[in-house]
Every structure is written in structure tokens, then in C-alpha cells.
Amino acid sequence: MDIALYRKVICEIRAMEIKSLKLYFFGEPLLHPQIGEILMLGTAACDRVELTTNGMPMTAKRANEIVEAEVDYVRVSIYDEILHPENVVRNVRTLWETRQARGAQKPFIFVKVFDQAKADAIRPDYEGICDEIGPEALHSIGSDMIQIKRLTGPHIACPYPFYNLVVKSNGDVVPCCVAWEKSLVVGNAKEQTLAEIWKGERLAEIHRLHLAGRGQELAACANCDTIFGCPDTIDSLTVEEYERRRASK
């Protein structure tokens, strides 16, 4: 993302008083040449800042920037043996030792894998250099492999579009971090403010479809099973009550 766009977004989220800023999407944040400034601006604007990395680009300089900026949470995603070379262990240790050397409490370091067996297998390597090792389950972000209509679960509406906005590197804004399809673009941060996008009709259309139990009519949502792993629910909100609250803002 261009740093000018990022600065614009940061100025806007200050006014919106967002709860958390998560610095990741479909990319590796530590490869950004201005990640130090990005982190500093983020923690100055938001009470909680999270970073997700595969750990491979972590250096002593990057570790210092993370600790100095007081990033709250760093998730190191390890998906398979290819992304579990010795240098990732070394890099996680670098971040841990940098935090310890500064006497800092942040960031909380979470090493993420897909299942408990993998967590148990890598525990000897990471124990003592991170705060937690654990699984986050696999999920579909939309494919022909999973037909959402064949799945069952407690949710009618996916909660994510009701409290998330994701700004892509080109400025496109989508309502959740697994929205890779262009069909879910609700605006562009280069052309509009985030507040305008949040209150806009395109996002409202997505909200209405989900509340009506018709989220699968959206191509990007039709085969996504994220809804079934979400601990939150918004199913008690009717379309009518949603419209009343939206009109009152």
C-alpha cells in the first residue's frame, strides 16, 4: 500500500474510534519498506494493533520496530513444513529476545498452525520464545470445493460485514478479511472516506442480504464457511430494525 493512502486511512480511523487495526490481508506486511512508520502511525491511532506474518522476513531491525511501536499482538502463521525452516524459529526468537531486552510487555507472540498435531510437533522449537502455540482451524474463503448450502450451523447472517472493513493495497474496501472477490468491493479509500463507505448503500445491501438469510446470493459469500466458525452472532437483528437504526444515524 502506498504510504500516502495509509496515512489518509489512519487519519480517518482516528475519527471513527475503531477498536482494532489488523495489519494483514493477502500479503506479508514485514516486506513493506516503510513498515516502521506504518506501525508507529497505527499504534498512535488505535488502542489495539495486530500484525500477522509468516516470520520469514523478520530481522533485528523489524523486531525493534515492532517492539518500539508497541504493537499489541503478533501472529506468526506456520502452515506447513516449507514455511517452518530454522530461520523462522530464529526470527521468532529475535522478536522474543528484543521484547525481553527492552523489558516490554508487547507484543504478545502467538505461533499459529492449522491443527493440534502440528502445534504439538513444533512446540519443542517454539516453547520459551513465544507466548502461545496453537491451532486456528482451516476454513474456506469461497471455492467449488465447499457448497455453503450443504453446511449447517447456528448462524443466519455472517457477523463480519457488520464490524469489519478491509482496505486493500489499491484502495478497494471489502467487508471482511476473507473477501478476495471483487464482487464484495463496497468502495475505494482513495475516492471516499471510510465513514462514507461504512454508511454507504453498497455495504447496506450486503447487510440486508445477510440479515434476510440470503447471504449465499453474494458470489463471494456463497461458498465461504467462515460464518460457522465465528463466535459472534447478529441473527437477532431484523432487517426492519436494521433500517430503523440506519435511518436514525
Side-chain angles (χ1 to χ4, degrees), residues 1-3 28-39 61-62 65:
M1 178 182 288
D2 180 77
I3 194 67
E28 170 52 58
L30 293 184
L31 291 178
H32 197 291
Q34 293 163 288
I35 188 64
E37 180 181 354
I38 285 172
L39 297 175
K61 181 177 184 294
R62 293 298 189 230
E65 289 171 332

Side-chain angles (χ1 to χ4, degrees), residues 61-74:
K61 181 177 184 294
R62 293 298 189 230
N64 272 300
E65 289 171 332
I66 291 169
V67 175
E68 186 176 353
E70 297 185 327
V71 172
D72 296 274
Y73 188 92
V74 172

Side-chain angles (χ1 to χ4, degrees), residues 1-235:
M1 178 182 288
D2 180 77
I3 194 67
L5 174 59
Y6 180 77
R7 291 175 186 145
K8 175 183 182 291
V9 168
I10 287 295
C11 287
E12 292 172 7
I13 68 171
R14 284 178 183 271
M16 295 176 74
E17 298 181 352
I18 67 168
K19 292 184 177 179
S20 66
L21 174 66
K22 303 176 188 292
L23 296 171
Y24 58 87
F25 189 50
F26 292 139
E28 170 52 58
L30 293 184
L31 291 178
H32 197 291
Q34 293 163 288
I35 188 64
E37 180 181 354
I38 285 172
L39 297 175
M40 280 292 194
L41 288 172
T43 54
C46 186
D47 288 340
R48 180 173 175 83
V49 175
E50 300 181 14
L51 179 76
T52 295
T53 174
N54 64 25
M56 298 183 75
M58 183 74 71
T59 61
K61 181 177 184 294
R62 293 298 189 230
N64 272 300
E65 289 171 332
I66 291 169
V67 175
E68 186 176 353
E70 297 185 327
V71 172
D72 296 274
Y73 188 92
V74 172
R75 180 188 292 104
V76 182
S77 293
I78 299 172
Y79 297 129
D80 53 39
E81 295 302 327
I82 296 174
L83 293 179
H84 178 51
E86 291 183 4
N87 73 305
V88 174
V89 179
R90 183 186 67 239
N91 293 346
V92 172
R93 181 178 291 109
T94 295
L95 179 59
W96 175 266
E97 290 178 349
T98 301
R99 190 187 81 177
Q100 299 301 97
R102 287 174 172 250
Q105 300 300 312
K106 300 177 182 181
F108 184 95
I109 304 170
F110 172 50
V111 174
K112 166 197 167 184
V113 292
F114 279 140
D115 56 61
Q116 190 58 52
K118 179 69 173 179
D120 294 338
I122 69 170
R123 192 172 301 280
D125 292 323
Y126 290 94
E127 207 158 35
I129 59 170
C130 69
D131 297 290
E132 184 180 358
I133 306 165
E136 285 189 359
L138 282 163
H139 61 80
S140 166
I141 59 174
S143 71
D144 294 332
M145 297 175 64
I146 293 179
Q147 295 297 318
I148 203 70
K149 60 186 177 183
R150 297 178 185 171
L151 302 177
T152 59
H155 290 317
I156 296 170
C158 181
Y160 286 107
F162 293 85
Y163 59 75
N164 276 285
L165 280 182
V166 178
V167 183
K168 297 184 178 183
S169 59
N170 66 352
D172 280 349
V173 177
V174 291
C176 73
C177 66
V178 296
W180 56 272
E181 274 204 14
K182 290 183 178 180
S183 63
L184 275 192
V185 173
V186 294
N188 189 284
K190 293 180 180 179
E191 302 163 0
Q192 303 156 274
T193 67
L194 291 182
E196 289 170 341
I197 295 170
W198 180 250
K199 297 175 183 177
E201 182 59 26
R202 175 55 184 145
L203 183 58
E205 290 174 6
I206 293 171
H207 288 166
R208 292 184 192 107
L209 282 172
H210 274 278
L211 291 174
R214 297 165 52 202
Q216 61 198 37
E217 293 179 20
L218 296 160
C221 301
N223 299 324
C224 177
D225 67 354
T226 304
I227 181 176
F228 298 114
C230 181
D232 304 315
T233 181
I234 198 165
D235 290 350

